[in-house]
Amino acid sequence: MYSYFILHFVLFPGGGVAVGTLLLIEEDKYGLYSNLLFKYFLAEGIVCGHDLFVASAKEHPDKILKELPAPLLDDTYGKELGDEAAAKSEDSQDSMKIAWRYQNLPKMEASPTTYTKFGHYYDVSKKMSPELCQSVKWHSFYLHEELSFEPKLKAWSMNSGYARLLQSIQKIISQEGFDGSDPQKKQRNVLRIGIQSLGSILWGDGVCCSDNPEDPHSLTKFLYVLRGLLRKSLSACIITVPAHLIQNKAIMERVTNLSDMVVGLESFIGSERETNPLYKDYHGLVHVHQIPRLNSLICDVSDTKDLAFRLKRKLFTIEILKNKWTPTKHSPLEVPGIAMMWIFTSHKTITAAFASRLVRHSEPCEQTGSGRIRQTAELRMWRHGHRQEAPGLLVIST
Amino acid sequence: MEGDKGGAGKKRWPSLAGNRLDKHLPGKVEAERILLAAVVSVSHEIFQHKEYPEGKFTLLRDTRTDGSFLVHHFLSFYLRAGCKVCFVALLQSFSHYSIVAQKLGVSLAAAKERGQLVFLEGLKSCLDLVFGEEEQPGQPSPLQFLSGSTSDLRALFEFVRVSLAPSAGDSWKGPVLLVDDLSVLLSLGAAPVAVLDFIHYCRVSVCCQLKGNIVVLVHSNEDSEDEENELLVNSLCHHSDLILWAEGLATGFCKDVHGQIKISKRLSLRQAGEQDLVQIYQYKIQDRNVTFFARGLSAAVL
């Protein structure tokens, strides 16, 4: 039995990362699932024929590229999800503009091996064939090899590892013409940049080591310059950051503000949620901290929901968290506030928020007793006069 | 419980039993009228700058949500009003603002061409500084503090001062400085004191000397651990004439109400003994405009 890895399209509105933007993934505790997402992004680039730029201080990029998941040619599972996803991506494409259509390349290609639906599906138990890997141009940046070269840097007052990385990215973008500087190049391609574990100690950055790092600004400066490079070129970037190791939360707040889209992965391995009956079908949660607001007054906020991921026998999916204990009339999506509640509010405000929201939006229930909603330590729900307790999820001791 | 059964002079208290409740709620048509009136009056209040004398400092802040729709509004408003605008756009590219401004009915490219808009694209300027050729000594980059050679924002202030300085052929109305957003300067390594100094110099130059207006956006989070940012925001709040605070709803995301906006007119700043005027409205952002309404009177509810 092998497991498939399928990225469900509820995660990315419109089904992808817009060209010119930055997707930041906050790694889960052991980096397992964030690594999978990282490899998926690169694998998708190869299948779409995009150029790749892989940077890491941990593993050699050659090794990363050898371990990419193989694309699924048999799309029995893909079909149903694909039709659903195609329909979804059709509606939500309005919020994205022309440049992002480049991510639609597979739709436009006429070659027989590509698919008519958007996106591809991968089998994580199989490795991508070397021939397919070699079919695209890729550039690598392994920090420990680069350090041996003499840097030609101006005094940027930035961590030298980051400065070298920026210089390398800028060189590729201008040399290969991703910034449109070569007017003769008619066939314009997209560059997918993947940077692994940015901010970790391996990059020479002290933000993961102490509350008061020596140079708290390197990471944010790097992100700002990278944002500038992305905006003026046909590239899209994914960065994984070990956010759970960064002790200074102010830095994470600034990093979030400087990224276009921020997604946090929380795996249940080793946590008390592993045995929580509500989460028995899932392996972790997906927290969407920020979504891009590009070229428009509004962003596609309606698509954000509580998301969880799971690795079933044959499927790895990211899907909407289904609650067994909300009133049957309302799915979590229809009750405004519940979805975002789990993601954004701190535990202290959950009791009040949940109780008030439920009262406003559910059908008037018969209530026994005093009729007042008590804000107690445990969440109670009024339904036909009987109290029902949330199954251990939000037990808050005051 | 019915009202009194006594003499005619006594008041009747309305019953609150369930079946009588509808009588006391406005009917649908009346509710819509109330809503429209609320929307119109709020727009007037927030955006009727002609009422204000010049030389005002407006602070835009956002919490749990993105307040950049306010920046887009002010940009298109001042350009339409015929003011000369210096826009220090640190967070997004020119094309982003241009596309949104187009939806709001203003062309940034045309405004730039006729000299009404001076646009500093922070991202591009930073790239030029970092990857570009050696700069001319007479023309330092506005974001020079990035290279670490200076710790203050003097170059940025000079840029603003020169852009808004009145020139001979100009027929524009009062100058306006717009900044999106100030919190980015902290992320780039500027100290909060340096940022406050920059704002202070801009106020003296733009508000006092040139009788123009300044509009600045800052981010803030409740329970934020970013002390430098909180310091900056609190300090700016104390010196602002008008504060527009966009907040996401405390109860979470809602499709029909994207957030609430708190408008504080700091009358106490100019006149001793005056009370600040605080109003709270809720808003919904659409593709081409933003509708404001009184709390609880969202169109979805009526």
Side-chain angles (χ1 to χ4, degrees):
Chain A
M1 284 299 171
Y2 29 66
S3 55
Y4 294 71
F5 178 60
I6 297 176
L7 191 64
H8 205 272
F9 293 104
V10 289
L11 180 59
F12 299 133
V17 178
V19 169
T21 63
L22 169 62
L23 163 64
L24 195 106
I25 298 193
E26 294 178 355
E27 293 178 6
D28 50 301
K29 209 166 20 158
Y30 302 103
L32 296 168
Y33 302 108
S34 54
N35 232 5
L36 275 176
L37 271 182
F38 186 76
K39 288 180 180 160
Y40 175 83
F41 183 83
L42 299 176
E44 179 75 8
I46 292 184
V47 174
C48 294
H50 298 156
D51 285 11
L52 295 186
F53 181 102
V54 184
S56 174
K58 202 161 61 164
E59 297 174 66
H60 199 287
D62 294 349
K63 186 163 172 286
I64 297 177
L65 285 169
K66 287 203 182 82
E67 290 175 356
L68 295 182
L72 255 188
L73 294 174
D74 167 49
D75 47 12
T76 18
Y77 292 97
K79 233 185 188 111
E80 297 142 26
L81 278 175
D83 293 342
E84 201 188 303
K88 222 183 272 251
S89 65
E90 226 69 61
D91 314 316
S92 38
Q93 254 169 36
D94 298 337
S95 57
M96 298 293 187
K97 289 293 165 185
I98 285 289
W100 121 249
R101 295 218 173 245
Y102 262 86
Q103 297 296 102
N104 274 340
L105 276 174
K107 241 187 193 158
M108 309 303 173
E109 282 167 27
S111 76
T113 52
T114 54
Y115 313 97
T116 49
K117 59 188 174 304
F118 181 78
H120 306 87
Y121 303 96
Y122 297 88
D123 178 355
V124 278
S125 63
K126 288 197 191 141
K127 301 282 172 267
M128 189 178 275
S129 67
E131 298 84 43
L132 190 53
C133 283
Q134 303 302 328
S135 66
V136 297
K137 204 166 181 188
W138 58 276
H139 316 273
S140 71
F141 179 97
Y142 184 49
L143 182 67
H144 307 293
E145 279 176 1
E146 303 287 325
L147 283 177
S148 51
F149 295 117
E150 192 54 50
K152 305 176 289 202
L153 305 166
K154 292 204 277 195
W156 287 353
S157 69
M158 194 195 292
N159 173 331
S160 66
Y162 295 158
R164 282 184 167 85
L165 176 56
L166 279 174
Q167 197 157 47
S168 183
I169 294 176
Q170 192 265 346
K171 200 169 72 152
I172 301 293
I173 287 180
S174 64
Q175 277 177 0
E176 306 285 323
F178 291 107
D179 55 358
S181 55
D182 189 356
Q184 293 178 347
K185 223 179 175 181
K186 281 179 207 137
Q187 187 76 326
R188 298 220 281 183
N189 203 353
V190 171
L191 176 69
R192 286 195 183 217
I193 304 174
I195 305 177
Q196 202 183 41
S197 268
L198 194 71
S200 73
I201 185 68
L202 295 168
W203 284 97
D205 197 346
V207 288
C208 289
C209 302
S210 80
D211 210 2
N212 264 329
E214 253 177 42
D215 185 8
H217 301 293
S218 271
L219 183 58
T220 42
K221 277 190 202 170
F222 170 85
L223 286 175
Y224 190 75
V225 179
L226 179 65
R227 190 188 173 98
L229 284 174
L230 293 175
R231 289 287 198 267
K232 72 159 207 169
S233 63
L234 284 176
S235 51
C237 182
I238 189 173
I239 298 186
T240 66
V241 170
H244 57 280
L245 295 176
I246 294 182
Q247 300 176 23
N248 188 337
K249 294 303 166 202
I251 295 183
M252 263 329 286
E253 286 174 26
R254 292 180 182 181
V255 162
T256 302
N257 284 335
L258 288 172
S259 315
D260 294 299
M261 185 159 179
V262 180
V263 170
L265 296 178
E266 179 193 340
S267 82
F268 295 150
I269 300 174
S271 88
E272 61 198 7
R273 288 182 173 176
E274 217 169 357
T275 46
N276 187 325
L278 188 74
Y279 291 134
K280 67 174 166 57
D281 292 333
Y282 302 103
H283 293 96
L285 294 177
V286 177
H287 304 287
V288 180
H289 295 302
Q290 181 144 294
I291 42 183
R293 188 188 290 252
L294 296 170
N295 299 333
S296 135
L297 270 179
I298 53 174
C299 49
D300 212 358
V301 191
S302 52
D303 268 346
T304 43
K305 312 162 183 25
D306 333 321
L307 302 168
F309 59 84
R310 61 166 140 185
L311 187 67
K312 278 173 97 177
R313 225 167 13 111
K314 290 182 178 180
L315 287 176
F316 185 103
T317 53
I318 296 175
E319 54 189 74
I320 304 161
L321 187 62
K322 291 188 185 50
N323 306 304
K324 297 189 180 66
W325 45 274
T326 44
T328 45
K329 281 215 159 159
H330 300 273
S331 74
L333 309 173
E334 289 168 19
V335 187
I338 283 194
M340 296 316 259
M341 173 188 76
W342 285 352
I343 296 169
F344 291 117
T345 60
S346 66
H347 277 298
K348 293 190 211 60
T349 56
I350 279 181
T351 321
F354 187 84
S356 67
R357 210 68 188 157
L358 206 57
V359 166
R360 226 186 294 173
H361 290 275
S362 53
E363 294 292 333
C365 300
E366 286 136 36
Q367 294 177 3
T368 57
S370 65
R372 256 186 341 127
I373 300 288
R374 281 185 303 144
Q375 289 179 359
T376 56
E378 281 179 331
L379 279 177
R380 308 247 192 269
M381 281 180 33
W382 297 93
R383 189 178 170 160
H384 306 306
H386 302 296
R387 290 181 194 178
Q388 285 183 336
E389 297 201 21
L393 170 62
L394 294 164
V395 174
I396 301 154
S397 48
T398 44
Chain B
M1 313 155 284
E2 277 303 328
D4 72 313
K5 296 220 160 59
K10 287 212 180 137
K11 268 202 168 162
R12 247 179 199 243
W13 293 102
S15 155
L16 288 177
N19 56 357
R20 292 287 209 104
L21 204 54
D22 327 345
K23 256 196 190 176
H24 305 287
L25 285 176
K28 187 138 199 319
V29 171
E30 173 139 349
E32 276 172 3
R33 227 180 299 138
I34 295 176
L35 173 63
L36 265 168
V39 168
V40 167
S41 76
V42 168
S43 304
H44 263 279
E45 298 215 12
I46 302 179
F47 307 130
Q48 184 62 283
H49 297 284
K50 297 193 196 89
E51 275 179 0
Y52 295 108
E54 284 110 349
K56 293 299 177 187
F57 186 93
T58 302
L59 182 70
L60 309 174
R61 58 186 288 202
D62 58 25
T63 301
R64 284 192 305 264
T65 188
D66 187 358
S68 57
F69 68 94
L70 290 168
V71 173
H72 292 299
H73 160 75
F74 276 99
L75 178 62
S76 54
F77 174 83
Y78 279 121
L79 284 177
R80 259 196 297 244
C83 298
K84 179 151 191 195
V85 178
C86 174
F87 187 13
V88 177
L90 295 172
L91 203 54
Q92 301 280 15
S93 61
F94 177 76
S95 61
H96 167 84
Y97 294 106
S98 185
I99 290 174
V100 181
Q102 204 97 35
K103 292 186 180 172
L104 299 177
V106 170
S107 164
L108 292 191
K112 251 173 95 167
E113 229 158 291
R114 56 177 184 257
Q116 191 188 7
L117 171 68
V118 179
F119 194 98
L120 173 63
E121 189 175 349
L123 292 170
K124 182 164 164 303
S125 188
C126 174
L127 287 182
D128 290 339
L129 175 69
V130 159
F131 295 115
E133 306 298 321
E134 287 300 326
E135 63 208 27
Q136 331 294 346
Q139 284 178 4
S141 161
L143 294 181
Q144 196 177 36
F145 72 97
L146 274 179
S147 60
S149 52
T150 56
S151 61
D152 56 40
L153 298 171
R154 206 174 303 201
L156 189 58
F157 165 68
E158 277 304 313
F159 173 84
V160 169
R161 192 183 63 79
V162 166
S163 327
L164 290 178
S167 56
D170 269 353
S171 58
W172 309 115
K173 295 198 195 138
V176 174
L177 168 64
L178 192 54
V179 182
D180 175 24
D181 71 72
L182 215 56
S183 308
V184 169
L185 290 174
L186 292 178
S187 302
L188 292 176
V193 172
V195 178
L196 288 171
D197 283 344
F198 162 71
I199 289 291
H200 176 75
Y201 272 80
C202 286
R203 280 194 80 159
V204 169
S205 168
V206 176
C207 293
C208 301
Q209 290 172 352
L210 299 174
K211 303 278 181 278
N213 293 317
I214 299 185
V215 180
V216 163
L217 173 72
V218 284
H219 291 301
S220 67
N221 283 324
E222 51 178 32
D223 303 336
S224 167
E225 296 203 14
D226 193 346
E227 286 168 359
E228 291 185 345
N229 195 46
E230 291 303 299
L231 175 76
L232 181 68
V233 172
N234 285 329
S235 180
L236 288 175
C237 276
H238 285 304
H239 295 120
S240 310
D241 294 299
L242 177 68
I243 305 176
L244 298 178
W245 190 352
E247 289 178 277
L249 293 178
T251 42
F253 166 69
C254 173
K255 196 161 49 99
D256 300 302
V257 179
H258 288 154
Q260 85 176 15
I261 184 166
K262 189 154 84 169
I263 306 168
S264 311
K265 290 187 197 153
R266 311 265 340 282
L267 303 167
S268 58
L269 209 61
R270 299 276 163 157
Q271 198 96 358
E274 286 276 345
Q275 288 279 334
D276 289 345
L277 189 63
V278 178
Q279 295 160 314
I280 302 184
Y281 299 100
Q282 291 179 335
Y283 63 85
K284 176 178 177 179
I285 307 178
Q286 286 146 344
D287 192 42
R288 281 170 191 269
N289 69 337
V290 181
T291 42
F292 295 88
F293 37 87
R295 280 187 290 183
L297 286 184
S298 147
V301 171
L302 292 173

